[in-house]
Structure formats: structure tokens, C-alpha cells
Amino acid sequence: MNVHFQECWEKTRYESDHTICLNGQTIPYRTVCEDNFFFNEEGKAVATIYSYAYFRGDVEDPSKRPVMFAYNGGPGSASLWLHLGLVGPRRVKLADEINLPTVPPFELEDNPNCLLDICDIVVVDMVGTGLGRLFDQAAKEEFYGSDADIRQLAMFVDGWLTRYNRHNSPVILAGESYGTGRSALLAAELLGGGPENQDTLGISVSGILLLGTYFYEPTAFSQMSLNLPSMAATNHYHNPDGKPGLTEFVNQAYEFTRTEYLPAFYEGDALPEEKKEELVKKLAYFTGLEEDYVRQNWQDIPTRDYMKQLLKNTHQVVGFYDSRYTWPDLPDIPDANVIADDPAMGQYTPAYQAGFALLRQELGITVERRSKGLAHGVNQQWDRKFKRNPAQALAAAMRRNKSLQVFFASGLFDLCTTAGNARFLARHSKLDPDRVLIGEYPSGHMAYLGEESARMLGDDLRRFVAKATKQSFQGS
């Protein structure tokens, strides 16, 4: 089936006007929320990407104003997390990010870290997620796959820029989790001339935010060495006594990994017993695990084991997506789903899902569709094969576009896409180090959870976008 992107959006287009105060300025903004349809050869709509655009309202000529495209990943995840946590002008109100309410009522509030004063924002729900839909199951191969997903997203971006006369606007891509690999592939696809000789769109990207980096395939390196700093951060949070501050402790773990663990890992079973015992003690210190367990597993401590081993004396399991969260280990109660049934994801999902329902009311979106926050069916149907991997695509895009800046951002308490893995990809993907920024924050997979981390990440993102789009920095 051959599908194509076509202008047809008036029926489900919703516009509204609002204001927000950012850095002491009252910023008026206009929202446009709409379907972006894909049609088959018979002219039937087979799918839609749903977009939520935020335009600063007091700009006379927006044709050169930067625009950020933001999306989550999954695959199968809607973009309500980034939308209501980091980039949108409204966010979920959380008094305490660790002890969240799991039942209504919930509230929204203005997002002080929003970048609407320096760039317009387009949040994207991909086909089958959020308010995006696949109407014809026969067309799923055109959307539910690593390469197909990128082709359709590139068509959407090109169509959106054309519709709003923004082809002369600097473009920022902001992807989270699976969305980071999506951004890397998209940057190359927008330039054009990909593995299947697609049309050369010639759309260059000024900057890419990779938040919780995941490039689709296991990193060809010792996973234990990449995960150790996040294990150290987790141990520090739950067992801080006798340790230096979080940043210093994590830096010590990085240094230990570089100078002691990796040489020992290379020696493997040939490591002399005396050196092994010394290594075991240090690993136990950083991870918080018992020496006997470390002695048996020092070359590879699986993350899922770590989640249960760290607090086993109190029968608690730490979260995969944010290891600050815990819940009771109930051995007779199996996890219903490895993504949603998690100490962290299980707690903050109700607030974000309800928050999106509140946002729909504020934006006047009345289309009769429920929001699919996490569409597990999409994830299960996804074709994960790709012509080239995201690291290759990103390196190729940076080679072709000498102005492209990249920002790898991670939450230290993220055991899913660890900070160490992000550092490794940033430094081993043939990227220009002078155009790569690495940031690590005291939060989890959603590094904007918590006021301190949200402010730090927001400030760094503001600096990054200002630099990538050649604007003077305006910060708090």
C-alpha cells in the first residue's frame, strides 16, 4: 500500500489563545491542535499524526522564528510526558515528585521552564498513540516500524513547515527514550537521500535534545560498566549515610569504572583472587549490594536483579524508570506488564493521563477519541529492523550539517536508559565532540520530575536552544 501526506485538517482543528509568564515577561500564545492525515491511493484516510502547536502571539514575522518538534517514543508512547513535563506551557502540578497522588483530583499549572519565549513548540502524537490513529490496519507496515515511522514523521515535519511558512525557521528536535533514536534517524531523513534513495528534502536541523538515550540495539560494551554510575546514584538515594554528595559519589563511580572495573573486567576469571576481593568490596560500596552477591555476579549484575537485591532486607523493589520509587516485593503477584507495572511508572501515570484530559479541556479539543498514553499493541506490532542505526544516522547528519548541535541529557536515577550508556553513545558514535553537550540530572527516566531537576534541565535546554539557534541566552 502506498500512502501519502495530504493537506486535510480543518475538521479536527482547534484553536485557542492564552498567556504565560516566563522570565518576568507575559507571553501571549496561540494554540493549534489538529489531525495530519495520511491517505492511500484511493483517497481514503488511513492514519493521522496528531499535533499540538504553540505559537508566540506577539511576533510580527514568525517565518524565521525557531520551532521545536517534540515527541516521546515507546514505540507506542504518546507525547503527554514531554508535553506536560518539560516542553509545553502547562505542566502537571506535583508537590512532591516521589509521593505522588494516584487518584484524582489532579491539577495543571504554568510551566516556568517552557521555552515559548524563544521558540515555537509542536508536540507530536505519532500514529496509534495519544490522539494519533491508524484507521486502516492493512496500512500498519507503513507506520509501525523503525524505518517506516521516520519516513512518515519526515513527511509530517515537511508538511507542517510548508503549511505555516516556516521552512526558514531553525528546527530543534526533542525526543525522549525511543524518541531519541527517532530524532537521530529523523535528522538524517530530513536532509534526504537515505538508504532507499528517498527524496532529498534538504531540511537541516539546528539542534537535537536526546533525553534518556536509546539507540534501538544493545550497546556493544560491558553493560555493567555503563550501568554502574546509575546503580551508585540509586544506592546513594536509598543509603546516603557515610557517602559524599550525590554528584561526587557518581563521579567516583565513573572514575572507578574507568580505572579499576574495566581493566578487571578485561581480565575476567583470570583476575587474581586478591584483586578480585578488593574489587568486590568497592563494587559493594558503590552498588549497595552484599559482597557475597557481588562476588558471584561482579562481571554482570542484571538490572532487574539489582532492582530487587538493593532493598531486599526490607522486601522493597526499586523502580526501573526512576529508582527513587519503591514498592513491596510480592513474589506471588507477577508483573502484568514490564513497562506499565513498575514502581515509578505505576505511580505517575494517573497524574499525567488525567493531566492530559485537563489539557484537552483547556485547549478546546473535542474530537471523540480517547488518548492512548501507552499503546502496548503498537509496541507489539512494531518492526524493529532498520537500514542503518540511529548512531550511524546521527553521525552522517552531523557530517553533512556542520552547524548541528546535540544534547545528551539523562536522569541519574534512570535504570532503563542509563547516564553511562548516554555518555558512551555520545563519545563512541563518531560525533564531533565540540558540538556535543552531556547533562546529568537528579531524577529518573523523566528527568524533569522534581523541581530541582526540572529547573536544571530547563536552564540547560534553554542555553542549548539559544546556542543552536544563535540567540542570546535569556535565563532566570
Side-chain angles (χ1 to χ4, degrees):
M1 180 181 292
N2 183 27
V3 302
H4 60 280
F5 184 76
Q6 180 176 320
E7 296 282 349
C8 182
W9 33 265
E10 293 90 343
K11 292 181 181 178
T12 52
R13 184 179 190 183
Y14 305 94
E15 299 186 51
S16 56
D17 294 292
H18 312 265
T19 60
I20 185 173
C21 184
L22 296 171
N23 293 310
Q25 283 185 293
T26 298
I27 308 293
Y29 65 94
R30 176 173 62 99
T31 67
V32 179
C33 306
E34 59 192 337
D35 275 308
N36 301 268
F37 290 108
F38 293 85
F39 295 83
N40 62 16
E41 293 169 332
E42 289 75 43
K44 176 186 175 184
V46 296
T48 178
I49 286 175
Y50 205 86
S51 61
Y52 315 80
Y54 297 91
F55 303 90
R56 179 165 178 168
D58 57 357
V59 177
E60 236 177 82
D61 179 12
S63 63
K64 297 180 183 179
R65 179 170 161 78
V67 58
M68 172 187 287
F69 292 90
Y71 33 79
N72 280 86
S77 173
S79 295
L80 73 163
W81 320 100
L82 273 178
H83 198 168
L84 290 170
L86 179 64
V87 302
R90 299 283 280 168
R91 68 178 183 179
V92 176
K93 185 176 182 179
L94 303 174
D96 177 353
E97 75 270 21
I98 303 303
N99 299 295
L100 301 180
T102 53
V103 294
F106 300 102
E107 293 182 63
L108 297 181
E109 64 182 359
D110 281 348
N111 176 14
N113 305 304
C114 181
L115 304 183
L116 193 53
D117 52 332
I118 63 171
C119 69
D120 291 337
I121 299 160
V122 183
V123 181
V124 182
D125 276 343
M126 296 301 293
V127 172
T129 74
L131 298 181
R133 284 294 184 272
L134 179 67
F135 301 126
D136 186 348
Q137 188 69 15
K140 70 176 183 179
E141 292 183 1
E142 299 282 346
F143 302 95
Y144 292 170
S146 298
D147 286 338
D149 171 73
I150 296 306
R151 284 194 294 272
Q152 309 306 348
L153 183 54
M155 291 168 66
F156 158 75
V157 170
D158 183 38
W160 192 96
L161 294 174
T162 299
R163 181 185 311 158
Y164 291 103
N165 189 29
R166 301 298 289 272
H167 271 281
N168 208 25
S169 290
V171 171
I172 302 292
L173 305 180
E176 182 174 17
S177 197
Y178 184 92
T180 59
R182 178 177 275 156
S183 289
L185 292 173
L186 180 60
E189 183 77 14
L190 287 172
L191 284 170
E196 294 183 351
N197 295 313
Q198 295 97 317
D199 292 342
T200 300
L201 297 177
I203 299 172
S204 59
V205 172
S206 295
I208 301 176
L209 167 66
L210 305 173
L211 180 57
T213 307
Y214 172 58
F215 278 1
Y216 302 1
E217 55 187 359
T219 303
F221 200 67
S222 160
Q223 287 299 309
M224 178 59 191
S225 66
L226 301 183
N227 295 341
L228 181 56
S230 291
M231 291 180 178
T234 303
N235 177 32
H236 187 282
Y237 180 82
H238 293 286
N239 304 298
D241 292 348
K243 298 179 180 66
L246 174 64
T247 301
E248 183 180 347
F249 190 64
V250 170
N251 286 339
Q252 287 177 0
Y254 273 118
E255 185 65 12
F256 164 75
T257 302
R258 183 181 70 84
T259 60
E260 298 184 56
Y261 180 77
L262 281 173
F265 179 83
Y266 182 79
E267 291 291 328
D269 294 335
L271 186 70
E273 195 63 29
E274 183 179 330
K275 287 189 175 181
K276 179 180 174 181
E277 284 304 305
E278 184 181 343
L279 188 79
V280 164
K281 291 183 183 299
K282 290 187 177 181
L283 272 174
Y285 169 69
F286 284 115
T287 63
L289 301 179
E290 294 179 356
E291 289 185 12
D292 188 55
Y293 176 87
V294 172
R295 191 173 291 109
Q296 295 296 316
N297 299 277
W298 70 272
Q299 295 183 51
D300 180 23
I301 299 174
T303 301
R304 294 288 176 181
D305 284 2
Y306 181 78
M307 290 164 57
K308 291 194 172 187
Q309 286 289 327
L310 179 63
L311 302 177
K312 71 173 188 175
N313 291 338
T314 56
H315 309 292
Q316 295 287 307
V317 181
V318 303
F320 185 52
Y321 296 98
D322 192 324
S323 58
R324 296 173 297 174
Y325 291 79
T326 64
W327 68 14
D329 185 9
L330 303 177
D332 295 330
I333 307 298
D335 293 342
N337 182 288
V338 295
I339 298 174
D341 209 6
D342 172 82
M345 184 74 77
Q347 188 160 343
Y348 53 61
T349 295
Y352 274 80
Q353 197 71 53
F356 183 75
L358 295 174
L359 184 68
R360 286 180 70 166
Q361 295 176 27
E362 291 186 0
L363 300 181
I365 301 173
T366 58
V367 62
E368 292 186 6
R369 288 180 212 152
R370 67 181 184 87
S371 173
K372 297 184 178 183
L374 292 168
H376 301 294
V378 173
N379 188 289
Q380 292 171 357
Q381 297 179 68
W382 203 261
D383 181 353
R384 286 167 168 79
K385 296 190 292 291
F386 42 76
K387 297 293 191 302
R388 58 178 171 179
N389 65 41
Q392 293 170 329
L394 184 56
M398 291 190 79
R399 179 173 64 179
R400 290 179 65 179
N401 176 3
K402 295 181 180 180
S403 295
L404 174 56
Q405 307 282 326
V406 180
F407 179 14
F408 288 81
S410 305
L412 286 171
F413 303 112
D414 180 6
L415 295 178
C416 174
T417 55
T418 63
N421 187 65
R423 281 199 189 192
F424 182 87
L425 290 171
R427 294 170 176 172
H428 294 81
S429 299
K430 299 180 176 61
L431 311 179
D432 178 0
D434 291 336
R435 292 184 281 146
V436 171
L437 173 67
I438 300 174
E440 296 172 357
Y441 306 93
S443 191
H445 193 59
M446 293 161 56
Y448 37 84
L449 271 183
E451 203 60 46
E452 178 189 10
S453 191
R455 177 184 50 77
M456 293 169 62
L457 174 58
D459 286 349
D460 285 348
L461 181 57
R462 177 174 292 275
R463 290 187 186 91
F464 173 76
V465 170
K467 178 183 178 183
T469 58
K470 298 178 173 57
Q471 300 180 68
S472 60
F473 173 69
Q474 298 176 1
S476 54

